């Protein structure tokens, strides 16, 4: 994201042999081919929100590939309307090609052998992030946190002061990382509606066992000696 020479934000997440596409960047067909994953191999698409740099689902539908979309009702309906207008087809057709698995933020779900916790972030439009926990064969839990697009702390405080969001929700977002995560993927896009890596310095120091990976930013814009930045093709296996 925000890199004129690189792809926009998209993540391929494998959970117990199931492939989840977290958002769909422009050029998704090419990127899936590069990593050797066919479109029909996707278990589902987790749609965090419908900003253009995250929601290029028309490319999948135009290839006549049906897929399940996991999200909230409002994000799903927004996605249907957006895709239908882009490809010039009816909303009914889009719904047939894009079956819906509804999740409700604040609830936990046991899906595909893993526990998923979805939450609303603080962004300019409805956006969800998630925490997924997978036990290995010895019963040890492995947890990944994906913040999705998330405002910086100063912006959160300003929104709370105006009554746009509750102070309780701001505190939840500031304490997203609990310390039990092996990987915390955090928005570092900056500007008006994205995160600032410096906001997480104390959390990074508090939880040294958690690997922090900042994304949604051109690596040249960040101190890579201090912060680890996601780059195209980055990957890591936690349960072989």
């Amino acid at each position: 994201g925000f890199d004129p020479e690189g792809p926009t934000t998209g993540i391929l997440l494998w959970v117990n042999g199931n492939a989840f596409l977290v958002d769909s960047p422009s050029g998704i067909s090419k990127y899936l081919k590069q990593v050797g994953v066919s479109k029909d191999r996707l278990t589902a698409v987790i749609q965090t929100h419908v900003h253009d740099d995250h929601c290029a689902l028309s490319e999948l539908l135009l290839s006549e590939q049906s897929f399940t979309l996991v999200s909230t009702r409002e994000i799903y309906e927004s996605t249907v309307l957006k895709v239908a207008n882009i490809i010039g087809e009816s909303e009914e057709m889009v719904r047939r090609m894009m079956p819906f698995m509804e999740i409700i933020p604040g609830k936990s779900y046991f899906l595909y052998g893993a526990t998923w916790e979805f939450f609303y972030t603080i962004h300019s439009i409805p956006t969800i992030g998630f925490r997924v926990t997978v036990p290995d064969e010895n019963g040890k839990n492995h947890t990944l946190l994906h913040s999705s697009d998330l405002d910086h702390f100063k912006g959160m405080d300003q929104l709370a002061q105006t009554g746009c969001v509750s102070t309780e929700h701001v505190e939840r977002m500031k304490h997203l990382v609990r310390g039990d995560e092996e990987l915390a993927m955090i928005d570092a896009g900056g500007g008006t509606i994205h995160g600032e890596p410096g906001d997480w310095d104390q959390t990074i120091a508090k939880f040294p066992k958690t690997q922090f990976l900042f994304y949604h930013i051109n690596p040249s814009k960040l101190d890579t000696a201090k912060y680890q930045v996601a780059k195209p093709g980055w990957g890591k296996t936690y349960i072989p």
Side-chain angles (χ1 to χ4, degrees), residues 1-239:
F2 301 158
D3 182 355
E5 298 179 355
T8 52
T9 301
I11 300 165
L12 186 63
L13 175 65
W14 291 91
V15 176
N16 292 325
N18 297 285
F20 295 90
L21 184 61
V22 183
D23 291 334
S24 179
S26 178
I28 183 59
S29 297
K30 176 180 69 175
Y31 300 135
L32 287 174
K33 185 176 181 180
Q34 286 176 346
V35 296
V37 177
S38 61
K39 296 173 187 175
D40 61 4
R41 185 69 176 82
L42 295 176
T43 300
V45 175
I46 300 174
Q47 193 62 50
T48 67
H49 62 301
V50 297
H51 276 158
D52 283 351
D53 55 331
H54 294 259
C55 189
L57 292 170
S58 55
E59 188 174 337
L60 291 178
L61 290 182
L62 287 173
S63 65
E64 299 184 356
Q65 179 60 51
S66 177
F67 54 87
T68 298
L69 191 136
V70 179
S71 198
T72 64
R73 170 65 63 179
E74 60 196 330
I75 295 174
Y76 177 75
E77 295 296 340
S78 297
T79 302
V80 169
L81 183 61
K82 180 173 186 173
V83 172
N85 279 278
I86 289 175
I87 67 176
E89 295 289 350
S90 68
E91 293 178 35
E92 290 72 21
M93 190 282 286
V94 173
R95 292 181 196 279
R96 288 197 299 271
M97 292 289 291
M98 200 168 63
F100 179 39
M101 180 183 293
E102 182 175 8
I103 59 90
I104 299 174
K107 290 189 175 183
S108 294
Y109 297 85
F110 188 74
L111 304 169
Y112 307 99
T115 300
W116 302 75
E117 301 172 61
F118 294 89
F119 51 84
Y120 279 118
T121 72
I122 297 177
H123 197 42
S124 56
I125 62 173
T127 303
I128 56 169
F130 63 87
R131 177 181 278 100
V132 56
T133 300
V134 185
D136 61 23
E137 61 183 6
N138 297 315
K140 179 184 176 182
N141 286 331
H142 301 263
T143 300
L144 177 148
L145 168 69
H146 177 54
S147 77
S148 189
D149 283 16
L150 179 66
D151 200 0
H152 48 78
F153 288 7
K154 181 179 179 180
M156 295 183 197
D157 290 337
Q158 291 173 339
L159 289 170
Q161 290 170 6
T162 60
C164 292
V165 298
S166 68
T167 55
E168 291 80 8
H169 190 49
V170 167
E171 289 304 307
R172 278 195 295 270
M173 292 301 98
K174 289 182 178 180
H175 295 87
L176 265 182
V177 181
R178 301 171 180 169
D180 61 341
E181 303 90 350
E182 291 195 39
L183 177 66
M185 302 187 67
I186 307 292
D187 178 10
T192 304
I193 59 174
H194 290 275
E196 292 287 351
D199 287 339
W200 300 94
D201 284 351
Q202 292 185 4
T203 307
I204 293 172
K206 183 178 180 181
F207 301 123
K209 292 184 178 180
T210 297
Q211 179 182 10
F212 285 76
L213 183 68
F214 291 93
Y215 72 96
H216 220 319
I217 188 170
N218 185 327
S220 67
K221 303 295 183 181
L222 204 61
D223 181 0
T224 54
K226 183 177 181 180
Y227 303 107
Q228 184 178 9
V229 184
K231 298 179 180 179
W234 185 93
K236 188 166 185 178
T237 299
Y238 290 94
I239 304 178

